[in-house]
Amino acid sequence: MAHYMGEIVRIRTEFFNAYNDCEFMEALKLGNDIINLYKENKDIYSLEYANDVNNVAIVYDDVMAHSKAINLYKDAAEIRSRILGENDLSYADTISNMAVSISFEGRHSEALALHKKSLRIRENKLPQTHTDCIIGRYNLANAYEDTKNYEKALENFDKALKLADKNPDFSKIDYADILCGCARVLSVKGMFKKAISNYGKAIEIIKMMNGEDNFYYLSIVLEAAEVCNKAKMYDQAIVYFKRAIEARENILEKTHLDYITNLNALANVFIKKKDYDRAVSTHKEILSILKNLVGEEHQFYADCLNNIGIDYIKMNQYDEGEKYILESLELKGHNIGEHTLSYTISLESLGHAYSEKGNFEMAFEKYDEARIIRKQIVGENDISYSGILISLGKMHLKENKTDLALEYFKEALNLRRKFEKGKSMACVENLHYMAEANKSKKYFSEAVDNMYDALAIRKQIYGRSHPRYARGLYYTAMMEIECGKLENAISNFEFAMEIQRVTIGEDNIDFKDTVDGLRAARVELCRRCSEAERYKQALEHFLKALELSGCKSSDERIYFMLEYAYLYVKTGDSEKAFETLKKIKEIILSKYGECSLQYADVIKAEGKLFIEAGKIAEGEKLIVKAIEMEFVILGNTSRSMDEISIFMGNAFLREKQIDKAYVYFMKASGSKETKNYPMKEAGIGLCYFNKKDFEKAYSHLSNAKSFMEKNFETDNIQFSNITKCISYIDEKAGNIDSAISNMNLSINSRCQSDDYKNLCHDSLKLSLLYKKAKNKKEALACMERASKFLLDGEGETKEFADIILKMAKIDIELKKYSVAESLYVKCAEIYRQEFGPGSDEYGNVIYEMAKMYLKAKN
């Protein structure tokens, strides 16, 4: 017995020496010799045996032989449990080690249960700040991470860090491990800013403890670089990739393929940052290494040539890009064959070059050749095949063949939904392209629907609190701006900002994009509300736009304030308008001087304010002065002659100074290709209308209407006024159906405004037109609409009662007696309160009710 134990002690010493020298195979041989000695002497139930078996299992773990390790851990755990009980710390150590091995085999739920059990034992026996308890909690956090329970993982990583902070003897390297685990989970949850902060702390600890010339430092720096890349913190990503490359140079030869991989990652960051010069330079460095390492015949060399070609295409140097891609194609065709996926990638790249140059015929030829080969190699149910369909669709979109582009995008999406179950970022990209195509066709509802479909996929993949979801909100909102859904856009921008502020920070480019988008939406909504004469709402959007950081460049801010200072006048605060203008004037004078276009803009804005305030003569003088200044500075031209002429024309039109208005409108050139054309035509038409020259009025107003309809500019007061005048002319000419159609357009356009009086008046007018057309039901509907406008604007007034009295009479004609009765009752109630029970108005309603009852009875 003594001889056998002595031999075990001797071999055990050699075992530990081999293990400490990292001679793992020798350690395993010695460890198995120890186990065999125990078995030969039938001593496999002792704690001594359990300890040795546990140690050998650890070595098997180190050489990734986890199945063998697990079996040995089970033996050790069983012995320790039987002899010491399941509350013993050595038993907790063994099942904790076994849990780690089980995790490597992908049995994460089993591992989680064992880590929970191990930690429970340790915390019952030791203070929570003990190193073993902290490591146990770290292991538990890893197990939760493996089971994708990221909330629990983060909770336990955080707790492990807090406990480690209270233990001055806790290993710095182990602390770095916990920081990295926390960073990984934060990254998955999209909390990139916090993740990068944790990586930064971990990297500095590892550097301080172990230096930079080791794989652990290298791996963590690369993880940090990738998270920075995902977070679009490109400058920080470049710093980390460069640190990784420096570390790699010190550990391995420059010619190692991992070194090339790191350089490629760095080049990709340069591309995302749009720093194409440095991307080309990095790819050319890779090309030089590959030439010496694998030779020009290798696929890697040809792939690098292709990458350089793409870099040049992004720099708009299409001929240079084409040259590199053609060389790549030639090498691939000669060395690996044309019937390969790699060859089709270069074909597709060549298609990009031709497409960007506008040579769509050649682009289609290369894309289609790539499509045919890919279909033969991978079939249709592969992302690389659907990818070439996207390229074809993008090319056709660029050449304005929108229907054809949509066909390719739809085919690609159907394939992706089939083999990716519709839950991939490839499907998201696909839907974005479809939205662009639908927008080009002015199918705005379809375009927005596409974006919301894409957003729903992002939600499934990332959840609603991830910056990738926030970016989807941004893209959706940008499409909504272009499609006129501004209120929805603002809501989506604001939600995106909430997410981004927490996850990536306000200095991130995505957050800045969102702020710029929100400001653009506010500015556009300010303009639209102003055109619809909803001045209070316009002013609200104006002030909110000014608050946003995207509007802090002084020139942009000043221009915006000049453009919309008149809103203060329109909302009854002329003093604030002129006070704002005075401040801007002082800034402009000190910065640009009196002889500048900027100062001319201030004078022009001041003139507009006077006109809006009812002082047309003073305003006109200032505007003429501004125009003269522009002529002097620019030399017989003016930047804003058309715009100012139309503004002045409208001002005189409002004052019924028709001749003066006409002169100004005629000064506007109003080319059919410019935004001024419909305003000029409308102005001239309204002048003729006021002069009762209806034939000429109709011609000009119809031109303006057609232009605005074609360009989807119908949601404003100007369009409402145009169509109302056309309706009036139609009625005079006896074209009642056309008059009805145009009056409907007028009311629908004015519905966006707060002008309830005009809306009520026009609805009553439309009712009369329907009566002329002998359409009593529609006439009644128009009266109901008029009554609602008046009710919302003023409440239950006499005018409201007058309308519902007329409605009741039509209801009687339609034999809707119960409806008529309720209207008579409401009308009588209002007249009684307004004029008293003895008034003629009240008595007349009662009389009409009596007549109705007799008629209903008969």
Side-chain angles (χ1 to χ4, degrees):
M1 179 73 175
H3 170 73
Y4 128 71
M5 285 305 299
E7 183 68 6
I8 285 177
V9 170
R10 182 187 66 76
I11 298 173
R12 188 186 292 147
T13 302
E14 292 179 15
F15 166 83
F16 282 122
N17 288 337
Y19 182 74
N20 290 332
D21 291 339
C22 297
E23 295 176 0
F24 298 129
M25 299 315 293
E26 179 63 19
L28 283 175
K29 177 182 173 300
L30 292 166
N32 280 308
D33 288 345
I34 292 171
I35 291 171
N36 287 332
L37 277 171
Y38 277 113
K39 287 180 178 177
E40 287 169 9
N41 289 276
K42 298 180 179 174
D43 186 15
I44 57 171
Y45 302 106
S46 65
L47 285 176
E48 199 83 15
Y49 173 75
N51 292 340
D52 283 323
V53 164
N54 189 78
N55 290 335
V56 176
I58 290 170
V59 184
Y60 274 120
D61 264 344
D62 286 338
V63 297
M64 310 301 282
H66 301 301
S67 294
K68 289 184 178 180
I70 291 166
N71 289 331
L72 292 175
Y73 284 134
K74 280 181 180 176
D75 288 347
E78 186 181 336
I79 293 166
R80 286 176 171 174
S81 171
R82 179 166 42 79
I83 298 173
L84 302 172
E86 292 196 356
N87 290 321
D88 187 77
L89 289 172
S90 63
Y91 174 74
D93 292 342
T94 302
I95 62 171
S96 178
N97 290 339
M98 182 164 62
V100 173
S101 298
I102 288 170
S103 285
F104 277 112
E105 292 205 327
R107 293 148 56 192
H108 301 306
S109 296
E110 291 178 53
L112 177 63
L114 287 170
H115 280 307
K116 284 181 179 178
K117 187 174 182 180
S118 172
L119 181 61
R120 187 167 59 248
I121 296 166
R122 286 172 173 171
E123 289 188 338
N124 283 337
K125 294 277 188 176
L126 301 167
Q128 286 193 17
T129 54
H130 191 281
T131 293
D132 287 352
C133 289
I134 297 169
I135 294 296
R137 190 158 293 280
Y138 165 69
N139 287 335
L140 180 60
N142 281 323
Y144 276 122
E145 183 186 355
D146 289 336
T147 57
K148 300 190 180 343
N149 189 339
Y150 298 116
E151 293 296 335
K152 280 287 187 182
L154 191 58
E155 178 188 319
N156 282 281
F157 279 130
D158 280 341
K159 190 165 184 180
L161 284 173
K162 287 173 184 172
L163 292 170
D165 286 335
K166 295 177 182 177
N167 182 343
D169 299 323
F170 191 74
S171 160
K172 297 291 184 188
I173 289 296
D174 287 341
Y175 191 84
D177 281 345
I178 301 172
L179 281 168
C180 290
C182 194
R184 283 194 311 274
V185 175
L186 286 166
S187 177
V188 170
K189 288 172 64 63
M191 308 288 284
F192 293 132
K193 192 174 181 182
K194 289 183 180 178
I196 291 163
S197 173
N198 278 2
Y199 274 126
K201 292 173 188 174
I203 287 166
E204 291 312 306
I205 291 170
I206 297 163
K207 180 181 175 182
M208 179 180 66
M209 301 300 294
N210 295 347
E212 298 179 45
D213 300 342
N214 59 83
F215 283 107
Y216 183 43
Y217 172 84
L218 175 63
S219 65
I220 300 305
V221 168
L222 284 172
E223 282 184 30
E226 287 299 340
V227 175
C228 289
N229 191 13
K230 286 179 185 175
K232 298 187 181 180
M233 296 172 66
Y234 297 129
D235 290 334
Q236 189 62 42
I238 288 166
V239 169
Y240 280 131
F241 274 125
K242 285 186 172 179
R243 287 173 72 172
I245 288 164
E246 288 169 10
R248 184 84 70 185
E249 284 177 338
N250 295 330
I251 299 169
L252 299 168
E253 293 291 327
K254 255 191 173 186
T255 53
H256 196 281
L257 286 177
D258 283 346
Y259 178 78
I260 293 167
T261 301
N262 293 161
L263 281 175
N264 261 322
L266 178 61
N268 287 334
V269 177
F270 287 136
I271 290 168
K272 288 181 179 179
K273 199 183 172 192
K274 299 185 179 177
D275 189 346
Y276 301 121
D277 285 332
R278 286 207 281 177
V280 167
S281 175
T282 307
H283 277 136
K284 285 185 175 179
E285 183 183 349
I286 296 168
L287 191 70
S288 176
I289 295 169
L290 285 169
K291 185 175 181 179
N292 295 324
L293 179 63
V294 296
E296 295 182 16
E297 295 77 24
H298 199 281
Q299 181 184 323
F300 289 171
Y301 184 84
D303 285 340
C304 191
L305 284 170
N306 191 77
N307 290 338
I308 295 170
I310 292 170
D311 292 341
Y312 278 118
I313 291 170
K314 290 181 184 295
M315 294 166 73
N316 301 326
Q317 297 183 30
Y318 306 124
D319 291 338
E320 192 69 11
E322 184 183 342
K323 182 182 79 174
Y324 276 94
I325 294 166
L326 283 169
E327 187 180 349
S328 170
L329 264 176
E330 185 179 347
L331 286 173
K332 287 180 179 180
H334 181 72
N335 296 315
I336 62 173
E338 295 183 1
H339 201 72
T340 59
L341 195 58
S342 179
Y343 184 81
T344 68
I345 289 170
S346 290
L347 271 176
E348 189 175 6
S349 299
L350 192 57
H352 295 335
Y354 290 133
S355 179
E356 291 298 322
K357 285 171 72 173
N359 188 344
F360 299 120
E361 187 176 343
M362 285 294 290
F364 178 81
E365 182 183 310
K366 298 306 172 187
Y367 285 142
D368 204 47
E369 187 180 346
R371 182 190 65 80
I372 291 166
I373 296 172
R374 283 189 194 175
K375 188 174 182 180
Q376 292 169 348
I377 297 170
V378 298
E380 293 184 355
N381 293 333
D382 186 272
I383 194 162
S384 63
Y385 179 76
S386 60
I388 200 70
L389 297 177
I390 292 292
S391 292
L392 282 160
K394 285 166 66 178
M395 182 202 71
H396 287 309
L397 192 57
K398 194 174 291 184
E399 60 178 333
N400 295 320
K401 294 182 178 177
T402 316
D403 289 330
L404 200 52
L406 268 173
E407 284 181 27
Y408 279 110
F409 292 147
K410 286 176 182 176
E411 184 182 353
L413 184 63
N414 288 336
L415 290 173
R416 286 173 170 176
R417 279 178 170 161
K418 181 179 175 183
F419 59 83
E420 293 176 345
K421 297 181 180 177
K423 295 180 183 178
S424 73
M425 287 304 292
C427 290
V428 169
E429 175 201 43
N430 207 143
L431 285 160
H432 283 195
Y433 286 127
M434 287 177 68
E436 284 298 320
N438 278 317
K439 184 189 75 178
S440 295
K441 289 177 68 67
K442 302 195 185 300
Y443 293 168
F444 296 131
S445 294
E446 290 84 346
V448 171
D449 286 346
N450 290 148
M451 296 305 294
Y452 273 102
D453 287 345
L455 189 61
I457 295 172
R458 285 179 187 261
K459 182 181 173 183
Q460 286 181 302
I461 298 172
Y462 300 110
R464 281 169 56 90
S465 57
H466 197 285
R468 293 284 184 273
Y469 181 74
R471 191 62 172 172
L473 287 167
Y474 164 79
Y475 288 132
T476 303
M478 291 300 288
M479 181 60 72
E480 285 173 325
I481 288 179
E482 296 189 64
C483 296
K485 296 180 179 292
L486 295 169
E487 297 284 2
N488 286 351
I490 286 170
S491 176
N492 282 326
F493 281 132
E494 288 178 338
F495 186 22
M497 283 171 66
E498 286 177 30
I499 298 166
Q500 291 168 335
R501 193 174 276 116
V502 173
T503 57
I504 55 178
E506 294 186 10
D507 57 346
N508 190 278
I509 57 174
D510 275 5
F511 182 84
K512 290 175 182 177
D513 282 349
T514 305
V515 172
D516 287 344
L518 177 56
R519 184 186 61 80
R522 291 278 186 203
V523 168
E524 179 61 15
L525 203 47
C526 173
R527 182 185 71 78
R528 292 197 184 186
C529 287
S530 176
E531 287 180 355
E533 298 182 3
R534 288 183 285 138
Y535 297 117
K536 286 185 180 178
Q537 287 174 276
L539 184 61
E540 285 175 18
H541 291 297
F542 166 76
L543 294 173
K544 285 178 180 177
L546 284 177
E547 288 172 9
L548 294 165
S549 60
C551 199
K552 283 185 178 173
S553 99
S554 59
D555 285 348
E556 181 184 13
R557 189 179 182 86
I558 286 168
Y559 175 79
F560 184 52
M561 292 175 77
L562 283 176
E563 186 77 6
Y564 290 103
Y566 78 92
L567 290 173
Y568 289 113
V569 178
K570 289 292 189 181
T571 52
D573 195 348
S574 297
E575 188 178 335
K576 180 71 174 175
F578 283 101
E579 180 188 320
T580 301
L581 195 67
K582 184 181 176 183
K583 290 177 183 176
I584 295 172
K585 201 174 193 178
E586 289 169 0
I587 295 168
I588 292 293
L589 275 172
S590 63
K591 190 172 181 180
Y592 299 103
E594 284 192 25
C595 189
S596 66
L597 293 172
Q598 288 83 358
Y599 188 67
D601 285 338
V602 176
I603 299 300
K604 197 190 307 171
E606 191 175 12
K608 286 183 176 181
L609 283 186
F610 274 113
I611 289 167
E612 294 293 356
K615 300 177 180 179
I616 293 185
E618 293 173 60
E620 186 179 18
K621 285 178 185 177
L622 287 169
I623 282 174
V624 169
K625 180 182 176 182
I627 294 293
E628 287 172 352
M629 288 173 67
E630 289 187 3
F631 271 110
V632 170
I633 296 167
L634 297 173
N636 296 323
T637 59
S638 167
R639 297 173 305 157
S640 53
M641 190 67 192
D642 289 356
E643 173 203 336
I644 289 299
S645 296
I646 290 166
F647 177 83
M648 290 303 303
N650 283 324
F652 282 117
L653 197 59
R654 285 196 299 272
E655 295 297 313
K656 300 297 180 185
Q657 297 184 41
I658 306 305
D659 291 336
K660 278 193 172 185
Y662 181 79
V663 169
Y664 271 109
F665 283 128
M666 290 304 292
K667 282 182 182 179
S669 61
S671 162
K672 286 191 177 183
E673 301 302 317
T674 72
K675 65 177 182 179
N676 294 320
Y677 172 74
M679 302 300 102
K680 172 200 168 184
E681 286 293 287
I684 294 170
L686 291 171
C687 287
Y688 281 124
F689 185 85
N690 278 276
K691 290 180 177 183
K692 302 194 184 312
D693 188 341
F694 296 127
E695 187 177 343
K696 288 181 180 177
Y698 197 87
S699 173
H700 287 283
L701 292 171
S702 295
N703 288 341
K705 176 191 171 188
S706 297
F707 183 96
M708 294 174 86
E709 286 179 325
K710 182 180 177 183
N711 291 279
F712 297 91
E713 296 173 358
T714 59
D715 189 14
N716 56 65
I717 296 298
Q718 183 78 347
F719 187 78
S720 177
N721 290 335
I722 290 166
T723 47
K724 186 193 291 190
C725 290
I726 293 174
S727 175
Y728 178 85
I729 298 169
D730 282 330
E731 184 186 6
K732 283 189 73 67
N735 299 324
I736 303 302
D737 288 343
S738 182
I740 288 170
S741 173
N742 280 300
M743 186 57 78
N744 264 314
L745 289 174
S746 177
I747 293 168
N748 291 337
S749 295
R750 197 176 290 271
C751 272
Q752 300 300 317
S753 76
D754 298 325
D755 187 5
Y756 70 89
K757 287 186 177 178
N758 262 317
L759 285 166
C760 176
H761 173 274
D762 293 348
S763 296
L764 290 173
K765 177 63 182 173
L766 183 57
S767 177
L768 291 173
L769 288 171
Y770 275 120
K771 277 186 179 179
K772 283 188 178 182
K774 302 190 185 314
N775 189 336
K776 290 181 182 179
K777 286 185 179 179
E778 287 297 338
L780 181 61
C782 289
M783 281 192 176
E784 287 174 352
R785 200 175 184 188
S787 69
K788 188 178 185 311
F789 287 132
L790 200 58
L791 183 64
D792 291 344
E794 296 182 356
E796 294 181 348
T797 60
K798 173 199 177 288
E799 289 75 17
F800 172 73
D802 291 344
I803 294 172
I804 62 174
L805 181 61
K806 292 175 183 176
M807 287 166 58
K809 290 177 180 179
I810 297 176
D811 279 321
I812 291 169
E813 289 178 30
L814 295 171
K815 297 185 178 181
K816 294 162 71 175
Y817 299 117
S818 59
V819 176
E821 181 183 21
S822 64
L823 291 173
Y824 276 137
V825 168
K826 172 56 71 177
C827 185
E829 180 186 324
I830 295 169
Y831 283 161
R832 182 187 177 93
Q833 289 177 350
E834 194 80 19
F835 304 107
S839 64
D840 290 342
E841 288 84 358
Y842 178 73
N844 182 54
V845 176
I846 300 301
Y847 174 69
E848 291 294 333
M849 283 180 72
K851 283 168 61 179
M852 178 198 72
Y853 288 135
L854 283 171
K855 189 170 184 178
K857 188 175 181 181
N858 295 328

